[in-house]
Amino acid sequence: MDPRAGLPADNPFAAPSDLPFGLPPFDRVRTGHFAPAFDAGMAAHRAELDELLAAELPAAAFLDALESSGRLLARAEAVFWNLTGTDADDALRAVQEEYAPELAAHHDAVRLDPRVVARVRALHEDPPADLDAEARRLLERLHSDAARSGALLDEAGARRLRELNAELSALTTRFDVELLADTNDLAVHFERAEELEGLAPADLARAAEAARARGRDGYVIALVLPTGQPVLEALRRRTSRERVHRASIARGGRGGEHDTRALLQRIAALRAERARLLGFADHASWVVADETAGDVEAVVGMLRRLAPAAVANARSEEAELTELLVTDGEAPPLRAWDWSYCAGRLLRERFAVDTEALRPWFELERVLVDGVFATASALYGLSFTERADLPVYADGVRVFEVAGPGGPFGLYLFDPYARESKRGGAWMSSFSDRSGLLGTAPVVVNCLNVARPAPGEATLLTVDEVETLFHEFGHTLHGLLSDVHYPRFSGTNVPRDFVEFPSQVNEFWGFEPEVLQRYARHHVTGEPLPDGAAQGLRAARAHGQGFATLEYLAAALLDLAWHRLPAGALDGARPEDVERFEAEALAEAGVALEAVPPRYRSTYFHHVFGGGYAAAYYSYVWSEVLDADAVEWFAENGGLRRENGEHFRRTLLSRGGSVDPLQAYRDFRGRDAAIEPLLRRRGLQGAGA
């Protein structure tokens, strides 16, 4: 009997979408569709696995059938996991908490099925001569995955591994749920407009609208995911800045129902136990062994080599900013909530750059169309046509049909605005990956958390938000331009410490003169950004790298500190131990500077306790070594040229995970990456090579 027979035909996941490029039929998807689709999908996946194993297929056909299996489940999961991050309500979260452990156990069972493991091992040991390079790469990855996933464990070990994975899935889901709830609860309420002196009128209107949406008078400042809150640069009242900062760092660590401390300790403890079970010293060693870095000591060594120069630069910046604070009549020392405000003042005085005053030149539509899209057209020959006729999953989401030299080939969804049902931060994800085997097209989404403007007002971006949009679109290009056979290698399915590289290269283009002049136009007058402001902006972006590098390094080293703990190290730990552990870890690494807290503290470090960056947050700077070196290649070869984009697409973006990432980089650059461009960019020459 077909396991899908129990899934009604009106369930939108029962068959592939008939919308263009396989866009999910969001207008028909309801929360009640997921549970039956998961049940039917898991049953169908098991049945397909039985069939393909019984058929004794030749090697290439076996690999194709294995990669093609589980499509019903994949359709439902792709929509579900995207919606849990972008438009979750209590009903969807309830499904998430119920099914996350079950789905994790199912995928473990498929990955560790002894019949699959035995066939993969046999093919890996004696691969048929007719397998192409991508199939051989798939065999290597399947064999490595099996070993790393516990295929060599005895029955008791395998059972314990399944228990650990199921509990971890439930706990990381819970961490996300509690963090979102506490972030919403800690939105800062101000009664009077004068408390928000310094905010632009549009931002003040947004704060008033946020208060009304919560049924309150006055103004509400919602929190974004990192420690640093954008409004701190504008708020003139020190007491108001302090309130916002203290709310930000309180998330998850103030007791009560949304406290995440016990959760994150349990997550770290279970990860350590799993690593020991799989033969590794700790979770970080298990993670990094499968990344391009290869060895956790290499990662720690690089981060610690950068730290002294970053601290020295940050202390120098701190002294400059303290002088500004004193001239404002405020008493030293400079506090964490003062840094952004004083740094903004320094930019205005030294570089004639007022980032708040620049916002009228960064209207969202122009940045997207005349900046991001135009750059993709210049480099890769892409065009984007809005499809208002297609359904979306939330108000404010937009759909664009993407075409290349050969015609339309995929869709791009743009979800720019913050809402309470959406987690913080910015990211790229996909509803469908490009695959020659499956004949599927890329359907890619970018999510930001820009404050929605008051009715009738334009959406004006900060400099940081412009940078973020270009960055996240770099991930989108990685997904859109993928050209592989197997879906597991498509787009951003590469090692975690390589995935940020293409996005950071694309981030670079946002402030190049020829790109900036296209989109940086006053949203009312259409006047271009004055030359002096453009030059000052580029100069200002090179300033303050001590702070930027140090806050990042502190978070990356904190991540590794939690995940280098051996099994049993957290036995008997209490929630209140989290703050002590964090302080000791930062001090031991030499990155504890009171005025520069980590970009994420443990209790709201979604990337590592709720997302996929556990023991891999270092990947941003690891990727930046490649990025800085690649940017120099573009500069040496004429910059924003179609020929350069085609070379980058052909040698790197199109290949996804189908080749060794560092070999792909060599194919692009002609050599391994050098670290010196990164050191120059961040002003860290004293760190050495």
Side-chain angles (χ1 to χ4, degrees):
M1 179 180 177
D2 186 344
R4 292 165 293 186
L7 189 62
D10 63 353
N11 188 300
F13 303 113
S17 171
D18 59 1
L19 292 175
F21 306 102
L23 178 74
F26 296 115
D27 53 339
R28 296 196 294 115
V29 173
R30 302 292 181 267
T31 299
H33 290 136
F34 288 110
F38 290 156
D39 291 336
M42 287 186 282
H45 198 184
R46 289 190 291 267
E48 292 160 6
L49 201 62
D50 289 341
E51 290 174 9
L52 76 90
L53 289 166
E56 299 183 359
L57 299 169
F62 166 74
L63 293 174
D64 282 359
L66 188 63
E67 281 285 285
S68 301
S69 66
R71 290 303 98 195
L72 167 58
L73 181 60
R75 286 194 297 273
E77 283 198 275
V79 176
F80 180 76
W81 291 117
N82 273 287
L83 293 187
T84 58
T86 58
D87 198 33
D89 57 16
D90 289 343
L92 195 69
R93 294 187 191 103
V95 177
Q96 182 182 5
E97 292 200 51
E98 178 182 356
Y99 272 89
E102 189 172 344
L103 290 167
H106 169 78
H107 290 298
D108 273 352
V110 171
R111 187 166 48 248
L112 299 177
D113 187 298
R115 300 167 298 171
V116 175
V117 171
R119 186 76 197 278
V120 167
R121 182 182 297 146
L123 290 173
H124 182 263
E125 291 174 355
D126 186 21
D130 62 346
L131 286 183
D132 64 19
E134 189 173 338
R136 288 173 181 267
R137 172 78 172 168
L138 178 61
L139 266 181
E140 291 174 6
R141 297 308 307 150
L142 290 172
H143 186 263
S144 173
D145 287 351
R148 289 174 53 78
S149 298
L152 304 181
L153 295 174
D154 59 20
E155 184 177 345
R159 183 171 58 254
R160 179 57 184 154
L161 181 64
R162 289 192 294 271
E163 293 170 352
L164 289 169
N165 286 341
E167 187 176 355
L168 279 167
S169 179
L171 290 172
T172 54
T173 294
R174 194 72 208 158
F175 183 92
D176 247 4
V177 169
E178 302 302 352
L179 175 56
L180 178 60
D182 214 29
T183 299
N184 287 333
D185 285 355
L186 279 164
V188 187
H189 177 243
F190 292 92
E191 295 181 353
R192 303 182 310 280
E194 50 267 34
E195 295 177 279
L196 297 175
E197 181 187 0
L199 276 194
D203 289 332
L204 194 64
R206 279 194 285 270
E209 181 61 32
R212 283 192 292 273
R214 289 169 168 80
R216 306 191 71 172
D217 295 329
Y219 307 87
V220 165
I221 301 297
L223 301 176
V224 300
L225 194 58
T227 297
Q229 300 299 309
V231 297
L232 294 183
E233 183 177 340
L235 292 178
R236 292 184 185 137
R237 292 200 177 188
R238 200 179 192 189
T239 53
S240 296
R241 299 198 300 266
E242 181 178 358
R243 283 187 60 195
V244 172
H245 176 80
R246 290 197 181 280
S248 175
I249 63 173
R251 286 172 291 170
R254 59 196 179 113
E257 60 178 328
H258 302 313
D259 197 294
T260 62
R261 290 176 296 180
L263 281 172
L264 72 88
Q265 288 172 317
R266 181 65 175 163
I267 290 168
L270 293 181
R271 286 172 175 167
E273 182 185 348
R274 181 175 62 184
R276 181 177 65 183
L277 189 63
L278 294 171
F280 290 85
D282 48 54
H283 182 72
S285 298
W286 178 75
V287 168
V288 177
D290 202 42
E291 305 292 339
T292 66
D295 177 65
V296 71
E297 295 302 332
V299 173
V300 174
M302 182 191 71
L303 297 179
R304 293 199 174 203
R305 189 165 71 244
L306 298 177
V311 171
N313 288 358
R315 289 195 183 280
S316 177
E317 292 166 14
E318 183 181 21
E320 287 184 308
L321 299 182
T322 299
E323 290 180 11
L324 286 178
L325 185 74
V326 172
T327 62
D328 265 359
E330 300 286 359
L334 184 81
R335 301 293 189 184
W337 50 87
D338 299 319
W339 194 294
S340 182
Y341 177 74
C342 292
R345 271 198 58 193
L346 184 67
L347 295 184
R348 291 190 293 274
E349 294 179 7
R350 179 171 298 178
F351 303 106
V353 171
D354 183 340
T355 55
E356 184 60 34
L358 290 178
R359 288 178 64 175
W361 277 267
F362 297 139
E363 193 271 323
L364 175 61
E365 189 71 8
R366 278 195 182 274
V367 176
L368 180 68
V369 175
D370 297 333
V372 172
F373 287 172
T375 302
S377 177
L379 286 169
Y380 309 110
L382 303 183
S383 63
F384 301 82
T385 303
E386 188 154 15
R387 294 289 304 269
D389 58 312
L390 296 177
V392 294
Y393 58 82
D395 179 48
V397 180
R398 302 166 68 185
V399 182
F400 296 86
E401 183 173 282
V402 186
F409 66 89
L411 296 174
Y412 169 62
L413 279 65
F414 184 47
D415 182 359
Y417 294 116
R419 52 183 172 269
E420 289 197 18
S421 59
K422 185 180 185 182
R423 70 173 171 87
W427 65 94
M428 166 269 187
S429 185
S430 63
F431 290 96
S432 173
D433 293 325
R434 192 173 192 174
S435 164
L437 171 64
L438 302 178
T440 50
V443 178
V444 179
V445 59
N446 273 159
C447 295
L448 308 181
N449 266 281
V450 177
R452 190 183 291 269
E457 297 288 337
T459 302
L460 305 179
L461 303 181
T462 65
V463 172
D464 285 346
E465 286 167 343
V466 172
E467 181 179 278
T468 297
L469 177 51
F470 273 89
H471 176 99
E472 295 304 332
F473 196 79
H475 290 305
T476 290
L477 290 168
H478 207 175
L480 289 174
L481 298 177
S482 179
D483 186 14
V484 298
H485 184 68
Y486 296 113
R488 77 159 289 161
F489 291 145
S490 186
T492 57
N493 292 308
V494 297
R496 183 66 71 181
D497 60 4
F498 191 80
V499 74
E500 297 298 335
F501 159 54
S503 60
Q504 290 172 186
V505 170
N506 202 64
E507 181 183 310
F508 156 77
W509 294 114
F511 297 94
E512 278 295 276
E514 62 185 302
V515 177
L516 191 64
Q517 68 182 4
R518 288 178 182 167
Y519 71 82
R521 302 266 171 172
H522 195 282
H523 74 104
V524 175
T525 68
E527 290 296 312
L529 189 68
D531 287 342
Q535 293 167 5
L537 178 60
R538 288 190 290 274
R541 284 171 51 75
H543 187 76
Q545 285 299 311
F547 175 90
T549 304
L550 183 56
E551 67 154 4
Y552 165 76
L553 290 176
L557 287 161
L558 182 60
D559 168 30
L560 288 171
W562 281 110
H563 292 112
R564 295 187 79 192
L565 290 173
L570 289 170
D571 290 351
R574 302 165 301 168
E576 55 267 28
D577 294 334
V578 167
E579 289 81 4
R580 176 186 54 79
F581 176 86
E582 184 175 290
E584 291 176 356
L586 296 175
E588 193 276 331
V591 292
L593 193 60
E594 186 177 350
V596 187
R599 186 177 296 174
Y600 300 97
R601 304 194 75 157
S602 306
T603 54
Y604 50 92
F605 208 160
H606 160 79
H607 286 70
V608 303
F609 294 115
Y613 278 79
Y617 196 66
Y618 77 89
S619 61
Y620 287 92
V621 74
W622 192 270
S623 293
E624 196 180 350
V625 173
L626 306 176
D627 150 40
D629 192 56
V631 162
E632 289 205 351
W633 179 89
F634 276 101
E636 292 163 3
N637 288 276
L640 196 71
R641 297 171 61 238
R642 181 76 176 84
E643 296 87 342
N644 290 343
E646 177 58 24
H647 178 64
F648 193 52
R649 183 205 64 79
R650 178 177 53 80
T651 58
L652 203 141
L653 291 177
S654 67
R655 303 173 83 178
S658 66
V659 298
D660 175 75
L662 295 184
Q663 183 57 52
Y665 188 83
R666 294 182 198 105
D667 293 342
F668 160 69
R669 190 67 165 101
R671 58 165 173 77
D672 288 326
I675 196 173
E676 287 75 16
L678 168 67
L679 301 180
R680 287 193 292 271
R681 173 190 287 183
R682 287 188 171 259
L684 299 175
Q685 287 88 340

